[in-house]
């Protein structure tokens, strides 16, 4: 066969493959449309409009999912961001604050991502309702912070909660307790998307209901859904009409994400006269953060790259603290007018995160999700600000909970700050074993929270309990072997100690 014939034959077979793939894609999209139409037909009239919006949004996401192939970034194009695209926080703080900071604050809306449940910490209901400090929940602390701002500056900064169908009812019930606080609270709901069977790529739901055994058929599609659902709720337009200009978005379980007046001033009164539409707070990586998304320069735009997007051969390079020194805290400041403009043009581009899960019955499904920070590349004049680590204080586990409940932090008007009595500003490394995973078990094992002001590292494994007024200093490792139990006695001081074996303290 001539070289030409070989090339022609190869080109034809490739064309055949791509045509075949296109036919398969079209068939999948058609089957999906048929199934979604069946589901929509079961919606009661009061839910019809809402369900239609959700399923339309899902259809767009599914279409993009079928179009995309392989990792969504070309590793060769990834560059370090230019120096001026990530500003040090100190430089922004050094500008000081104007006299009219109250009028600047009145342009702000605080948005908290409140879609998550407390299941990973063994709690039922919304995670934001878990008690974290002196009986205060995440939501209590958030309301206290904003109320303190409004009272101090005589302003009207509202709080907006993005709930999911998992958290909406419980959150709304609890909001009544804040009716006399000086914070207007609004809510809107994330979309509700159907989970799809990994094999057939069709929804596992047969109708719109999401209670009882149908709970597992639906999911909230990640916090990237904020743009569409905020816009569709009508709340975005209402806030713009009230003269609001920026939202400060963060996870409700990040206790470090408080309103920062210096960053807000930088947004409203930029030194070069050109406003940023999107600011992402980043902070320096430690070994604990190697999986966090990082800001890069990609095709002349700032771009968030998550570990799931990285080709396998480059994962170790991505995790390297020396090449990618910062990670995304998910504290974001975004211009409302820009969200409206981009949403109306359907121009917000976020990579799809494919999240595989196995349901209780063993069925393998996938969820298609997006992340709020991934939209940074769609906005004009985006900026990263390298903030102190104290602005990233997430509570994901009971190990984190122990830190924020301890005397390492003091609480003032809903804000936690590192105690002045701690000589160095780093947070100790705490690893509590599986006996402490659930909040109720964790609380049962500590008669009172130990003094941790001089602690560097704590590892606890097995059946361990702590008496009252225990002091932990330096590196403390406590390991109860299987079948053994260790009771740390009341008033004990453990400094650079390893405790293992069996230590029972019995009442007589």
């Amino acid at each position: 066969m001539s070289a030409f014939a070989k090339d022609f034959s190869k080109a034809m077979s490739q064309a055949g493959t791509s045509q075949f793939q296109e036919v398969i894609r079209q068939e999948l999209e058609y089957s999906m449309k048929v199934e979604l139409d069946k589901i929509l037909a079961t919606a009661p009239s009061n839910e019809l409009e809402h369900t239609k919006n959700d399923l339309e949004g899902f259809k767009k996401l599914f279409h993009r999912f079928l179009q995309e192939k392989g990792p969504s970034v070309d590793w060769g194009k990834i560059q370090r961001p230019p120096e001026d695209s990530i500003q040090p926080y100190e430089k922004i703080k050094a500008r000081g604050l104007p006299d009219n900071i109250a009028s600047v604050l009145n342009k702000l809306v605080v948005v908290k991502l409140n879609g998550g449940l407390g299941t990973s910490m063994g709690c039922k209901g919304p995670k934001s309702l878990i008690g974290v400090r002196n009986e205060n929940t995440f939501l209590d602390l958030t309301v206290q912070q904003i109320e303190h701002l409004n009272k101090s500056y005589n302003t009207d900064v509202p709080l907006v909660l993005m709930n999911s169908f998992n958290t909406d009812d419980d959150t709304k019930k609890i909001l009544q307790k804040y009716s006399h606080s000086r914070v207007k609270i609004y809510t809107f709901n994330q979309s509700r998307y159907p989970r799809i069977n990994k094999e057939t790529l069709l929804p596992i739901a047969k109708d719109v209901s999401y209670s009882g055994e149908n709970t597992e058929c639906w999911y909230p599609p990640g916090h990237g859904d904020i743009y569409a659902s905020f816009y569709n709720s009508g709340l975005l337009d209402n806030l713009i009409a009230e003269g609001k200009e920026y939202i400060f978005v963060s996870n409700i379980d990040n206790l470090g994400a408080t309103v920062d007046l210096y960053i807000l001033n930088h947004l409203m009164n930029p030194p070069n006269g050109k406003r940023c539409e999107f600011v992402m707070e980043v902070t320096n990586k430690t070994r604990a953060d190697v999986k966090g998304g990082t800001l890069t320069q990609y095709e002349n735009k700032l771009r968030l790259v998550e570990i799931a997007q990285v080709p396998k051969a480059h994962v170790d390079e991505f995790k390297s603290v020396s090449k990618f020194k910062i990670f995304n805290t998910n504290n974001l400041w975004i211009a409302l007018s820009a969200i409206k403009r981009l949403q109306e043009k359907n121009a917000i581009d976020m990579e799809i995160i494919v999240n595989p899960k196995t349901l209780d019955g063993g069925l393998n499904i996938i969820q298609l999700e997006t992340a709020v920070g991934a939209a940074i590349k769609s906005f004009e004049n985006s900026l990263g600000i390298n903030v102190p680590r104290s602005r990233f204080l997430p509570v994901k586990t009971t190990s984190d909970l122990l830190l924020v409940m301890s005397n390492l932090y003091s609480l003032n008007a809903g804000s936690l700050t590192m105690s002045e009595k701690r000589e160095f500003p780093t947070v100790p490394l705490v690893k509590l074993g599986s006996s402490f995973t659930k909040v109720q078990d964790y609380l049962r094992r500590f008669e009172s929270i130990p003094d941790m002001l001089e602690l560097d590292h704590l590892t606890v494994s097995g059946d361990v309990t702590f008496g009252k007024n225990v002091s932990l200093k330096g590196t403390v490792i406590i390991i109860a072997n299987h079948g053994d139990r260790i009771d740390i006695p009341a008033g004990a001081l453990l400094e650079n100690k390893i405790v293992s074996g069996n230590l029972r303290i019995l009442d007589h």
Side-chain angles (χ1 to χ4, degrees), residues 78-83 85 295-297 322-325:
I78 285 182
Q79 297 167 309
R80 277 193 185 165
E83 286 297 310
S85 65
L295 266 189
T296 62
Q297 178 86 345
S322 55
K323 180 161 184 182
F324 298 110
K325 293 182 164 57

Side-chain angles (χ1 to χ4, degrees), residues 236 245-247 276-278 333-340 379:
L236 177 76
E245 295 183 22
Y246 278 95
I247 52 173
C276 298
E277 290 187 344
F278 195 112
W333 304 74
I334 314 170
L336 288 168
S337 58
I339 297 176
K340 181 176 166 69
F379 289 81

Side-chain angles (χ1 to χ4, degrees), residues 396-463:
K396 303 288 183 195
T397 62
T398 49
S399 301
D400 299 330
L401 196 53
L402 179 63
L403 289 166
V404 300
M405 284 180 138
S406 76
N407 60 347
L408 284 164
Y409 291 94
S410 53
L411 179 66
N412 182 19
S415 297
L416 287 184
T417 44
M418 179 74 75
S419 167
E420 289 172 4
K421 293 178 186 162
R422 182 156 174 93
E423 287 181 18
F424 31 94
T426 56
V427 179
L429 195 61
V430 171
K431 292 179 184 169
L432 299 178
S434 55
S435 311
F436 291 80
T437 303
K438 293 183 175 179
V439 172
Q440 65 204 53
D441 294 340
Y442 152 87
L443 291 171
R444 194 169 45 80
R445 291 178 176 279
F446 287 99
E447 273 198 59
S448 71
I449 303 297
D451 166 11
M452 291 165 45
L453 275 176
E454 295 177 46
L455 180 70
D456 297 324
H457 180 145
L458 172 67
T459 296
V460 183
S461 176
D463 185 0

Side-chain angles (χ1 to χ4, degrees), residues 186 230-231 233-244 336:
Y186 304 97
F230 193 22
Y231 178 83
S233 71
L235 194 52
L236 177 76
D237 281 332
N238 293 351
L239 291 166
I240 290 173
E242 283 177 24
K244 304 298 183 192
L336 288 168

Side-chain angles (χ1 to χ4, degrees), residues 213-424:
E213 56 195 43
N214 270 1
T215 321
E216 285 202 320
C217 297
W218 302 90
Y219 71 101
H223 41 54
D225 183 55
I226 185 172
Y227 304 105
S229 49
F230 193 22
Y231 178 83
N232 290 337
S233 71
L235 194 52
L236 177 76
D237 281 332
N238 293 351
L239 291 166
I240 290 173
E242 283 177 24
K244 304 298 183 192
E245 295 183 22
Y246 278 95
I247 52 173
F248 170 48
V249 186
S250 63
N251 299 349
I252 200 155
D253 64 6
N254 177 6
L255 294 177
T258 56
V259 171
D260 186 282
L261 299 178
Y262 298 101
I263 295 177
L264 178 61
N265 180 47
H266 187 83
L267 287 168
M268 298 293 294
N269 303 307
N272 62 358
K274 193 177 174 200
R275 282 195 180 182
C276 298
E277 290 187 344
F278 195 112
V279 163
M280 176 180 287
E281 292 184 36
V282 296
T283 194
N284 292 345
K285 264 188 190 180
T286 65
R287 302 241 169 254
D289 316 304
V290 290
K291 290 184 177 177
T294 193
L295 266 189
T296 62
Q297 178 86 345
Y298 193 92
E299 295 175 338
N300 294 323
K301 283 269 197 179
L302 273 184
R303 178 155 172 169
L304 179 68
V305 176
E306 302 278 4
I307 195 162
Q309 296 164 249
V310 176
K312 280 198 172 60
H314 297 283
V315 165
D316 286 343
E317 194 181 336
F318 174 83
K319 286 181 176 178
S320 124
V321 180
S322 55
K323 180 161 184 182
F324 298 110
K325 293 182 164 57
I326 51 156
F327 72 97
N328 168 29
T329 63
N330 222 36
N331 300 348
L332 309 167
W333 304 74
I334 314 170
L336 288 168
S337 58
I339 297 176
K340 181 176 166 69
R341 181 189 80 237
L342 291 170
Q343 193 57 39
E344 286 175 349
K345 286 184 182 169
N346 198 17
I348 295 181
D349 178 22
M350 293 171 283
E351 290 75 30
I352 294 174
I353 300 160
V354 180
N355 188 354
K357 286 185 184 284
T358 303
L359 302 185
D360 289 346
L363 182 68
N364 290 324
I365 60 102
I366 54 176
Q367 297 181 177
L368 304 180
E369 302 176 5
T370 55
V372 58
I376 188 168
K377 63 179 184 290
S378 302
F379 289 81
E380 293 301 317
N381 207 22
S382 299
L383 181 70
I385 297 181
N386 192 340
V387 296
R389 180 74 186 202
S390 57
R391 292 191 56 73
F392 185 66
L393 187 58
V395 180
K396 303 288 183 195
T397 62
T398 49
S399 301
D400 299 330
L401 196 53
L402 179 63
L403 289 166
V404 300
M405 284 180 138
S406 76
N407 60 347
L408 284 164
Y409 291 94
S410 53
L411 179 66
N412 182 19
S415 297
L416 287 184
T417 44
M418 179 74 75
S419 167
E420 289 172 4
K421 293 178 186 162
R422 182 156 174 93
E423 287 181 18
F424 31 94

Side-chain angles (χ1 to χ4, degrees), residues 39-248:
I39 292 171
L40 186 61
T42 68
S45 55
N46 62 331
E47 283 181 32
L48 190 63
E49 194 59 34
H50 190 69
T51 308
K52 196 173 176 182
N53 273 346
D54 282 354
L55 296 182
E56 279 302 319
F58 176 74
K59 217 182 286 181
K60 282 181 193 165
L61 196 61
F62 185 69
H63 173 80
R64 281 180 46 218
F65 163 69
L66 293 177
Q67 300 290 335
E68 289 179 9
K69 302 176 194 69
S72 51
V73 290
D74 175 348
W75 193 254
K77 290 184 182 175
I78 285 182
Q79 297 167 309
R80 277 193 185 165
E83 286 297 310
D84 60 349
S85 65
I86 299 181
Q87 298 273 343
Y89 176 75
E90 293 68 33
K91 186 176 169 186
I92 280 159
K93 190 173 181 179
R95 291 183 61 210
L97 295 174
D99 295 337
N100 67 337
I101 194 66
S103 66
V104 171
L105 260 172
N106 273 325
K107 306 282 187 194
L108 181 70
V109 177
V110 174
V111 179
K112 292 287 182 183
L113 304 172
N114 185 46
L117 292 166
T119 37
S120 64
M121 292 170 77
C123 295
K124 283 197 167 95
K127 186 174 180 185
S128 57
L129 306 185
I130 295 175
V132 280
R133 180 85 187 208
N134 308 353
E135 315 257 313
N136 288 304
T137 64
F138 290 105
L139 188 53
D140 290 336
L141 294 176
T142 301
V143 173
Q144 286 166 29
Q145 287 163 21
I146 302 174
E147 183 168 44
H148 178 66
L149 264 184
N150 285 336
K151 283 179 173 170
S152 304
Y153 295 97
N154 193 24
T155 50
D156 178 23
V157 177
L159 168 64
V160 173
L161 299 171
M162 179 165 89
N163 298 338
S164 67
F165 65 92
N166 289 322
T167 63
D168 192 50
D169 287 348
D170 290 337
T171 302
K172 280 183 174 157
K173 279 178 200 151
I174 219 85
L175 287 182
Q176 293 162 10
K177 81 183 219 192
Y178 309 114
S179 56
H180 298 296
S181 68
R182 193 171 160 177
V183 184
K184 283 185 193 152
I185 304 178
Y186 304 97
T187 65
F188 69 94
N189 258 10
Q190 254 178 293
S191 307
R192 177 165 70 96
Y193 283 1
R195 284 172 161 165
I196 53 181
N197 183 313
K198 194 178 174 185
E199 303 306 318
T200 64
L201 295 184
L202 291 173
I204 59 171
K206 297 291 171 241
D207 57 53
V208 291
S209 68
Y210 53 95
S211 53
E213 56 195 43
N214 270 1
T215 321
E216 285 202 320
C217 297
W218 302 90
Y219 71 101
H223 41 54
D225 183 55
I226 185 172
Y227 304 105
S229 49
F230 193 22
Y231 178 83
N232 290 337
S233 71
L235 194 52
L236 177 76
D237 281 332
N238 293 351
L239 291 166
I240 290 173
E242 283 177 24
K244 304 298 183 192
E245 295 183 22
Y246 278 95
I247 52 173
F248 170 48

